[in-house]
Amino acid sequence: MIKIEQVSYRVNGYDILSNMNLTLGERKIGIIGANGSGKSTFARLLNGIKLPTTGQITVDGLDTRTCGKAIRGKVGFVFQHPDHQIVLPIVEEDLAFGLKNLGYSKDKIKESIDAILSLYHMHHLRKSPAHLLSGGQKQLLAIAGVLVMEPDYIVLDEPTTLLDLRNKRDIFQIIENLKQVVIMVSHDLDLLSNFDRVIVFEEGKIIGDDHPSITIPLYKNRMTC
Ligand SMILES: Nc1ncnc2c1ncn2[C@@H]1O[C@H](COP(=O)(O)OP(=O)(O)OP(=O)(O)O)[C@@H](O)[C@H]1O
Ligand SMILES: [Mg+2]
């Protein structure tokens, strides 16, 4: 369970997020809202990449202020821009990076990488230089690199913006089938319609928090008037 209690995030005296109170525990939670409404800032608070100005965020009882390292092991994060995510030059090395840090054996690392390359139709890219991949392939690699570590919670910030239709659908299907709690920022409203809960942000506040059949129309309505 991720608990957000009286959280604000302030820069230069301006509230980018104000007085948020949420408990996140459903399996699939979407975050939607206009550009600049605070979605990425909020997402980054969830695993302690950013810390709140006021209030408290806990993940299974651990405070992001004091237990950052443990929380980053529990909460995987997929950045809006995949270049922020990819750390090693060759695809298979990049996928192995997090698993080595988790102390996996060589055999287990190879087995996990084989499985994930096959799941993402990326076998042919195993030895490719990561910086030469296309934008969409980089995005797939970034998602794969987080999922391969099997964190308890997965936060994704617009993970499908660069993907073609097939990869977008495949990624959504993979995400829907994950057993973990997934919190995903997205502008792909149709694909969020199968989620358990969708939260609407507007100017750093929550203006809707319900089943997508209620909050997606609410958001569409706000965007047209
Ligand atoms: N470090 C910062 N300093 C100043 N302003 C910031 C900082 N971080 C975020 N902001 C501002 O806070 C607002 C929210 O930004 P954020 O990136 O969270 O929006 P978003 O909802 O993710 O938007 P998008 O849909 O475009 O990705 C923006 O107006 C942004 O300029
Ligand atoms: Mg954003």
Side-chain angles (χ1 to χ4, degrees), residues 7 11 20 33-34 51 56 60 62-63 65 91 116 122 133 135 148 169 174 181 183 190 200 211-212 215 221 224:
V7 161
V11 178
M20 300 218 147
L51 295 174
Q56 188 188 40
D60 296 338
L62 302 175
D63 191 325
R65 271 184 220 288
V91 166
I116 206 104
M122 285 172 63
L133 299 181
V148 75
R169 287 206 185 116
I174 289 167
V181 172
I183 298 150
D190 293 344
V200 189
H211 190 266
T215 45
N221 209 17
T224 50

Side-chain angles (χ1 to χ4, degrees), residues 7 15-20 36-38 201-206:
V7 161
D15 269 359
I16 291 171
L17 299 172
S18 35
N19 197 27
M20 300 218 147
S37 56
F201 278 50
E202 192 175 276
E203 295 178 358
K205 297 189 181 67
I206 292 166

Side-chain angles (χ1 to χ4, degrees), residues 35-36 38-41 80 157-158 185 187:
N35 296 131
K39 305 179 300 296
S40 293
T41 307
Q80 190 163 3
D157 191 358
E158 296 193 47
V185 178
H187 293 288

Side-chain angles (χ1 to χ4, degrees), residues 48-201:
I49 308 174
K50 283 180 190 281
L51 295 174
T53 311
T54 58
Q56 188 188 40
I57 297 181
T58 55
V59 179
D60 296 338
L62 302 175
D63 191 325
T64 57
R65 271 184 220 288
T66 47
C67 304
K69 196 163 178 239
I71 285 173
R72 279 185 283 284
K74 265 180 174 299
V75 185
F77 191 93
V78 178
F79 284 89
Q80 190 163 3
H81 302 291
D83 286 335
H84 295 166
Q85 192 100 36
I86 296 167
V87 288
L88 286 177
I90 303 295
V91 166
E92 67 175 351
E93 291 171 0
D94 189 70
L95 287 172
F97 176 75
L99 297 173
K100 276 187 192 156
N101 284 344
L102 290 177
Y104 282 26
S105 70
K106 267 192 172 166
D107 285 350
K108 171 75 178 146
I109 291 176
K110 186 179 173 310
E111 194 183 303
S112 298
I113 292 177
D114 283 345
I116 206 104
L117 287 172
S118 146
L119 182 65
Y120 291 89
H121 318 291
M122 285 172 63
H123 260 305
H124 60 295
L125 299 174
R126 186 178 195 119
K127 305 275 181 199
S128 299
H131 74 283
L132 293 183
L133 299 181
S134 75
Q137 288 168 336
K138 281 186 191 170
Q139 205 156 39
L140 282 179
L141 176 61
I143 295 168
V146 171
L147 295 192
V148 75
M149 294 198 286
E150 301 184 351
D152 297 338
Y153 299 85
I154 301 165
V155 180
L156 305 111
D157 191 358
E158 296 193 47
T160 56
T161 45
L162 302 170
L163 300 183
D164 65 37
L165 204 53
R166 193 187 72 156
N167 278 330
K168 198 176 274 201
R169 287 206 185 116
D170 284 357
I171 288 291
F172 261 78
Q173 198 141 43
I174 289 167
I175 288 170
E176 275 179 11
N177 291 332
L178 288 173
K179 58 187 184 309
Q180 291 103 327
V181 172
V182 172
I183 298 150
M184 180 163 72
V185 178
S186 181
H187 293 288
D188 280 311
L189 303 180
D190 293 344
L191 296 171
L192 288 175
S193 59
N194 294 329
F195 272 37
D196 302 309
R197 173 180 177 189
V198 169
I199 302 171
V200 189
F201 278 50

